[in-house]
Amino acid sequence: MMLEQHDQSKRRFLQGLLASLGAGITTGLMSEKAIAAALTYHSHASKAPYQNQVLNKGQLKLLKVVCNTVIPTTDTPGAGDIDVHYFIDNQLQHCYDVQTHVRMRTTVNLIAQMSQTFHNRTFEHLQSPQQIALLTSLDTGLKPFSKTQQACFKQLKALICFGYYTSEIGASEELVYQAYPGGFEGDITYSGQRNYGSLAYY
Amino acid sequence: MYIKESKQKYDAIVIGSGITGGWAAKEFCEKGFKTLLIERGRIVEHRKDYIGEGKPPWVQPLRSKVSLSDVEQQYRIQKNCYAFNDSTKHFFGNDQDLPYVTANDTDFWWIRANQLGGKSLLWHRFCYRWSDFDFNANRLDGFGNDWPIRYKDLQRWYQYVERHVGICGQKEGLVQLPDSEFLPPFDMTAPELEIKKKLEKMFPDRKLIHGRQAHLTKPSALHLKQGRGQCQARNECQKGCSFGAYFSTQSSTLPDAAKTGLLQIAPNSVVESLIFDPASNRVKGVRVIDNEDLSEREYFANVVFLCASTLGSTQILLNSKNKAFPNGLANRSGVLGHYLMDHNYNAWANADIPGFEDAFYSGRRPGGLYIPNFYFKPDPKRPFLRGYGMSAGTYREGWTSIQHQDGIGLAFKQRLQMPGKWRFWLGAQGEMLPRFENCVQLHTSKKDKWGIPLLEINCRFSDNEQRMMEDAAEQGYRMLEKIGLENVKSGLHNKPPGSGIHELGTARMGRDPKESVLNGYNQCHDIPNLFVTDGSSFCSSAVQNPSLTFMAMTVRAVNYAVKEVAARRI
């Protein structure tokens, strides 16, 4: 349904653009076809296996489960389902310094280690409530986790959220994506609808 | 329309194609002048070259972020601009190619946009007229020289440019912020309407008004004729707008100039210096270095308009020194390069807005609200000179805020899915005093890749600006607390000059040739056929955004220059 809204929003943009510009536009500058082509969204999904960059394969396997624990599957996929763990690995490689790489590796290792300490099992093999409980302790800085460990996890959690809500599913299915809102309405009634996934700056 | 070599003598050369250069070119062409517009950067075609427009984050390799290596190597300064991201970075200058020096213990963020259209593609589009409180400010407290013009000199030119540009807003009848010719304003949100009511009641000297911006909320026939359409409220303006719904050179002035058939554009032409003829005491033309292959060429004209941005124009004048003008062209006064200003944006306040759970909105308003300067009348009891305006607005929290809260799992995902609480924010925009010691000069040895001496910038905010920002943070806190908002916070940033991207001064106007570079028509006192109409000509910064004022000044200057040419005085 949300994707449909997104497509409608795009169509409205094209119609609106051409209608509003009307006779003022010359064919040399633009045609409907050219604009439509320029706005075609290319999927960058690749079938080749992902090549890890900052985190090792074991860490990525665990991170996928962490992603799905933080943002689980509901009527829309969870963060792990849409490979946010791979997004994080790639984003760390390109946009973050080495100190952040170390912090994120340490945080993933800490989750693995604490899972063994508390439950004598890998994090991936814990029951869902145990996974939630462990991450909640880390997220809220409960003992034995330190403030520093909590802050590092908050940063990882923010990367999970960023990866999820800037993905097509996160932005346009879990939330509502207004590609071309058609104008600003300042006062409409809120009656439980999902929030917007379309933001001007991220 | 695009040229490289040209032997012809033009009626007018305009250097720079940003907001003022676009206007100068349009006006000259429409008055029948064969005009050459010189741009140091590449061509950016309207629509075709807006390569980031309409791209949602998921089709961007790093979801709107710019890679760390690109930031560190190419955009160390530019990254500080709020609008810098992967969809806009191609409209920012490359810091590696555009070095400058700052004096010891000073910092200056010089945000660059060297392409056709310049910063008209990247600006935040706020348009506020200045009042006589602004034009009288220097005279009254003695900082800086007296402006040679007053509101009445600009009034009809404000009106002229506003009709063409298209500015949304609402008439308020404020003495310190004269009304423009307005298109309808963007809506206020429900909490904004309530806050406006309370704030204006509890603080009778203050108003919370619609921001005034160059957006076509309801295009007129003139705007449609320009090929422009209605604003879609995407708030992604700096990626470029195929609707032409915000004013830029590409959307508005360039098409009109081109229609006359009298415009030629020399892109990729870095102006090295102006060619001065001592015998006639006139500028004959312009010497340029090719942006790409570094070859040299010259262009000639009867009149030259410098519209190369505040620091760009001054750098050209300084580098055009010769025997007659050993300290920089048109600089007999010795003030060229001095009295550099910006606006100070360092004070902020924000708070939670209780209630309004059933209020929502649609679209992304590309601007906000404004509290006009309430210190516009001088008061010796105030611990600082001049005043500040405040930008303001509400938003309803979403995932970018809620992600930092505690939470894991289903309940957290549900919270992230729904809008959170309403928030209100204020940001000050303070006037910076004109001071001789805030200045630029050419570096004695360092040069850029075009062989042009680097600019050395020596600029800092003074204690006056610091006290002003402390007051703004305090007043912001008081206002938000008194109108019943919750979790009120306020504070100060420590951003250096340049961060406001409103650099002004360094080739100021004035009545006295001994203390100013330009006369009241932006004409050089020393060289009659040379005009400077960008922000460098300003005598003070006021608190308002400067673009509308330098548009009006440019149009007025062209009108004057054309008459002077007709009278054979130029």
Side-chain angles (χ1 to χ4, degrees), chain A residues 8 16 31 33 47 53 70 84 100 125 127 141 147 160 182-183:
Chain A
Q8 280 174 5
S31 66
K33 196 175 160 195
K47 284 183 181 160
Q53 299 172 81
V70 173
V84 167
T100 309
H125 288 97
Q127 298 292 316
K147 289 280 173 206
I160 294 170

Side-chain angles (χ1 to χ4, degrees), chain B residues 261-415:
Chain B
L262 295 171
L263 179 71
Q264 292 197 325
I265 301 173
N268 288 309
S269 300
V270 181
V271 174
E272 190 261 350
S273 58
L274 306 180
I275 304 165
F276 177 68
D277 174 33
S280 61
N281 191 41
R282 297 287 189 274
V283 167
K284 287 197 305 183
V286 174
R287 190 174 295 116
V288 310
I289 313 285
D290 191 273
N291 183 29
E292 289 167 339
D293 65 22
L294 306 185
S295 61
E296 292 180 31
R297 55 183 177 268
E298 294 176 344
Y299 302 113
F300 298 94
N302 281 331
V303 182
V304 174
F305 263 54
L306 259 176
C307 302
S309 83
T310 288
L311 296 182
S313 289
T314 294
Q315 187 176 24
I316 290 168
L317 289 172
L318 288 169
N319 201 40
S320 303
K321 62 186 176 189
N322 54 46
K323 273 186 192 162
F325 293 99
N327 300 315
L329 197 64
N331 188 26
R332 291 214 172 96
S333 66
V335 300
L336 180 67
H338 294 275
Y339 301 100
L340 175 60
M341 296 163 282
D342 187 20
H343 284 127
N344 190 321
Y345 282 83
N346 278 325
W348 57 270
N350 59 46
D352 295 344
I353 305 168
F356 295 97
E357 289 86 0
D358 59 351
F360 209 39
Y361 61 93
S362 177
R364 300 181 291 281
R365 186 177 61 190
L369 311 185
Y370 189 60
I371 299 178
N373 182 11
F374 42 84
Y375 291 146
F376 59 93
K377 286 182 186 162
D379 181 353
K381 280 181 270 171
R382 204 176 296 133
F384 54 87
L385 299 170
R386 318 288 171 103
Y388 51 82
M390 287 178 141
S391 299
T394 56
Y395 63 96
R396 201 163 175 182
E397 287 187 334
W399 67 265
T400 55
S401 312
I402 298 167
Q403 65 177 342
H404 303 296
Q405 297 173 5
D406 290 347
I408 299 290
L410 183 61
F412 184 56
K413 188 177 180 183
Q414 285 168 343
R415 215 182 323 145

Side-chain angles (χ1 to χ4, degrees), chain B residues 442-504:
Chain B
L442 296 182
H443 195 273
T444 49
S445 57
K446 291 182 181 171
K447 293 185 175 180
D448 63 21
K449 72 179 197 186
W450 301 279
I452 297 169
L454 302 194
L455 213 53
E456 183 172 354
I457 306 173
N458 186 349
C459 188
R460 57 183 96 213
F461 289 127
S462 69
D463 291 345
N464 192 69
E465 284 92 43
Q466 182 65 23
R467 285 194 297 272
M468 182 191 289
M469 286 300 108
E470 285 165 6
D471 183 86
E474 191 187 319
Q475 291 298 326
Y477 191 97
R478 270 191 60 206
M479 286 190 275
L480 303 193
E481 193 181 44
K482 199 163 175 188
I483 60 176
L485 303 191
E486 296 173 352
N487 191 23
V488 179
K489 291 189 172 68
S490 74
L492 297 173
H493 300 297
N494 191 26
K495 293 180 188 172
S499 55
I501 327 180
H502 289 167
E503 54 272 22
L504 296 166

Side-chain angles (χ1 to χ4, degrees), chain B residues 166-271:
Chain B
I167 295 165
C168 62
Q170 185 165 286
K171 289 196 187 297
E172 304 282 351
L174 301 172
V175 289
Q176 77 273 40
L177 195 73
D179 291 323
S180 292
E181 301 259 322
F182 290 127
L183 303 175
F186 286 107
D187 281 359
M188 287 194 190
T189 62
E192 283 168 352
L193 289 166
E194 181 70 15
I195 287 170
K196 174 179 167 64
K197 208 157 63 183
K198 284 187 181 169
L199 192 134
E200 292 179 358
K201 190 175 171 198
M202 293 176 177
F203 296 85
D205 62 333
R206 301 174 194 187
K207 300 282 276 185
L208 180 64
I209 67 170
H210 293 276
R212 301 170 177 179
Q213 281 188 293
H215 284 279
L216 301 184
T217 48
K218 191 178 173 191
S220 70
L222 176 64
H223 302 131
L224 294 172
K225 203 173 147 203
Q226 291 171 32
R228 301 170 63 193
Q230 186 178 326
C231 176
Q232 300 295 297
R234 292 181 292 172
N235 195 17
E236 297 175 18
C237 315
Q238 288 94 351
K239 297 175 181 178
C241 179
S242 288
F243 291 87
Y246 75 91
F247 171 89
S248 67
T249 296
Q250 273 82 352
S251 72
S252 188
T253 45
L254 201 57
D256 276 9
K259 261 181 228 162
T260 64
L262 295 171
L263 179 71
Q264 292 197 325
I265 301 173
N268 288 309
S269 300
V270 181
V271 174

